[in-house]
């Protein structure tokens, strides 16, 4: 391979790479010869592949926020801005989606544009949907759970999102619990978020995560944030005060082979924190409308977020975009610290 393909600029660095890295590079350039489950079915962009091979920091990003989170062209603009923030802070962004039945880790500008225009025509894809979307050669926008799975498959340890799913309000009677929570209990990925979406039952969600064995840490605060607001009334089980501390936590989790995830909750920036009373009032009205219209399951969260945005005159969407960008900045800094930690170990 070295003699035949030395023309590729990446190979100029091969002479200093350990054999394991060379094997990784060969595997990424020849996906038809997979060495682990699922690997040969995944398309990895050249930029992401090179970064993973060379041990550079990579941050996974979901795609449901693009297809279901906001309208076109605001969605693609936000996606590009979030990727740019990751790059500005020293990491490589890897937006994840399924296009024409192929799981893709790292999307081109054209693929981002296509997914954004597709909007809700793309299937909202959680763990349970992955095999179906692939088998039917469909298009899937990955939720937290599906994004975690693909990130773990290719060796990306850090994933940035807005907020995770959780136990829905009235979940004690509906049993509506997001698969994000069980995925965090079984997949060793660090999920960087603004906490749990405030349309959900936050105390019950934290209890469920504890049962799943998930390490929950708040970033520079003692209180667990509530997505649109900095506080939820729930004390965070653990606290970290820097991206270096967070990197050490992630590294310890990986080295110990605990095989469950970490939820890092970052408060929304103060200047974008919406009024708690205004948001809560809008949530209660949206929940009532959802029950009256019998909107449940995977359709409920997009409906609630959209309705809350309408009831708050667009301020909740502006806050949502701001917190995602903030999470991307901190997530990239954590990824850089983790990469340095591994280089020095």
């Amino acid at each position: 391979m070295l003699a035949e393909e030395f023309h590729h600029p990446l190979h100029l660095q091969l002479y200093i790479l350990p054999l394991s890295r060379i094997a990784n590079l060969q595997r990424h350039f020849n996906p038809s010869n997979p060495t682990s489950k699922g690997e040969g079915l995944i398309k990895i962009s050249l930029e992401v592949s090179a970064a993973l091979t060379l041990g550079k920091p990579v941050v996974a990003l979901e795609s449901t926020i693009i297809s279901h989170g906001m309208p076109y062209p605001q969605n693609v603009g936000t996606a590009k801005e979030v990727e740019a923030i990751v790059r500005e802070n020293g990491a490589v962004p890897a937006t994840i989606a399924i296009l024409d039945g192929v799981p893709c880790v790292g999307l081109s500008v054209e693929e981002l544009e296509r997914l954004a225009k597709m909007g809700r025509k793309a299937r909202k894809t959680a763990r349970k949907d992955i095999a179906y979307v692939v088998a039917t050669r469909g298009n899937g926008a990955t939720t937290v759970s599906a994004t975690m799975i693909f990130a773990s498959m290719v060796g990306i340890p850090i994933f940035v999102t807005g907020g995770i799913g959780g136990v829905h309000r009235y979940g004690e009677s509906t049993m509506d619990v997001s698969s994000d929570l069980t995925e965090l209990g079984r997949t060793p990925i660090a999920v960087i978020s603004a906490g749990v979406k405030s349309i959900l039952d936050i105390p019950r969600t934290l209890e469920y995560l504890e049962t799943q064995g998930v390490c929950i840490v708040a970033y520079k605060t003692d209180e667990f944030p509530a997505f649109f607001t900095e506080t939820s009334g729930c004390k965070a089980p653990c606290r970290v005060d820097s991206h270096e501390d967070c990197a050490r936590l992630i590294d310890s989790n990986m080295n110990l082979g605990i095989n469950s995830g970490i939820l890092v909750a970052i408060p929304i920036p103060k200047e974008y924190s919406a009024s708690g009373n205004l948001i809560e009032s809008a949530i209660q009205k949206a929940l009532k409308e959802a029950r009256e219209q019998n909107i449940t399951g995977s359709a409920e969260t997009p409906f609630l977020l959209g309705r809350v945005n309408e009831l708050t005159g667009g301020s909740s969407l502006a806050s949502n975009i701001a917190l995602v960008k903030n999470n991307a900045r901190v997530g990239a800094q954590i990824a850089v610290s983790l990469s340095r930690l591994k280089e020095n170990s």
Side-chain angles (χ1 to χ4, degrees):
M1 175 180 173
L2 295 181
E4 295 173 1
E5 297 184 3
F6 193 81
H7 64 276
H8 195 288
L10 287 177
H11 294 144
L12 296 175
Q13 303 180 57
L14 283 180
Y15 69 94
I16 61 170
L17 295 178
L19 290 176
S20 60
R21 294 263 177 94
I22 295 176
N24 284 339
L25 187 58
Q26 289 174 323
R27 186 167 70 250
H28 290 316
F29 280 123
N30 297 280
S32 60
N33 298 310
T35 58
S36 65
K37 289 182 179 178
E39 193 172 287
L41 300 175
I42 298 174
K43 173 188 169 187
I44 308 175
S45 75
L46 185 60
E47 180 187 23
V48 173
S49 177
L52 290 172
T53 300
L54 299 172
K56 302 301 181 184
V58 180
V59 171
L61 301 168
E62 64 159 292
S63 50
T64 298
I65 193 172
I66 302 171
S67 62
H68 291 68
M70 57 194 76
Y72 181 85
Q74 191 174 22
N75 54 1
V76 70
T78 300
K80 291 176 181 177
E81 288 170 4
V82 169
E83 287 201 346
I85 289 169
V86 171
R87 288 194 174 94
E88 288 164 7
N89 285 276
V92 172
T95 301
I96 296 175
I98 302 175
L99 297 175
D100 299 322
V102 178
C104 300
V105 177
L107 300 185
S108 66
V109 173
E110 292 75 20
E111 288 169 333
L112 278 175
E113 187 81 23
R114 179 187 171 196
L115 185 65
K117 288 181 177 178
M118 202 181 301
R120 292 175 185 267
K121 292 178 182 177
R123 186 182 181 98
K124 187 179 179 183
T125 304
R127 169 183 276 269
K128 66 181 176 58
D129 308 293
I130 292 173
Y132 178 80
V133 176
V134 170
T136 57
R137 296 181 174 84
N139 298 302
T142 54
T143 63
V144 168
S145 64
T147 306
M148 287 179 69
I149 289 169
F150 290 126
S152 180
M153 281 183 178
V154 302
I156 301 173
I158 294 174
F159 159 45
V160 165
T161 185
I164 66 165
V167 178
H168 282 250
R169 301 194 189 197
Y170 312 106
E172 67 274 17
S173 57
T174 64
M175 295 300 292
D176 193 346
V177 179
S178 171
S179 64
D180 296 354
L181 306 188
T182 48
E183 203 60 52
L184 272 160
R186 70 173 82 174
T187 304
I189 294 290
V191 178
I192 316 299
S193 76
V196 178
K197 295 183 178 77
S198 51
I199 57 174
L200 305 171
D201 188 324
I202 294 176
R204 282 192 171 93
T205 298
L206 294 177
E207 288 289 347
Y208 197 99
L209 285 170
E210 180 181 339
T211 302
Q212 291 291 317
V214 177
C215 179
I216 304 168
V217 298
Y219 191 74
K220 297 184 179 181
T221 179
D222 291 317
E223 185 162 348
F224 191 81
F227 196 66
F228 290 123
T229 57
E230 298 170 84
T231 60
S232 65
C234 300
K235 189 177 186 304
C238 305
R239 170 177 174 154
V240 291
D241 286 306
S242 68
H243 44 86
E244 293 90 354
D245 288 344
C246 199
R248 281 191 288 272
L249 172 63
I250 296 167
D251 189 52
S252 295
N253 192 63
M254 294 166 63
N255 291 338
L256 290 167
I258 293 175
N259 292 325
S260 56
I262 297 172
L263 177 62
V264 181
I266 303 171
I268 185 173
K270 289 183 183 296
E271 62 270 29
Y272 291 103
S273 183
S275 166
N277 290 334
L278 174 65
I279 292 287
E280 183 58 30
S281 175
I283 287 171
Q284 291 300 327
K285 182 173 176 58
L287 284 166
K288 183 174 181 293
E289 292 175 1
R291 290 197 302 274
E292 291 172 349
Q293 298 176 41
N294 198 30
I295 298 172
T296 59
S298 62
E300 185 175 17
T301 296
F303 170 80
L304 292 174
L305 288 175
R307 191 70 183 108
V308 168
N309 184 55
E310 291 173 2
L311 293 169
T312 58
S315 65
S316 67
L317 179 58
S319 296
N320 195 343
I321 293 172
L323 66 84
V324 170
K325 290 179 178 179
N326 186 55
N327 294 347
R329 177 182 61 82
V330 178
Q333 292 170 350
I334 294 170
V336 169
S337 292
L338 180 61
S339 179
R340 287 174 180 163
L341 192 64
K342 289 187 172 299
E343 283 179 2
N344 297 328
S345 61

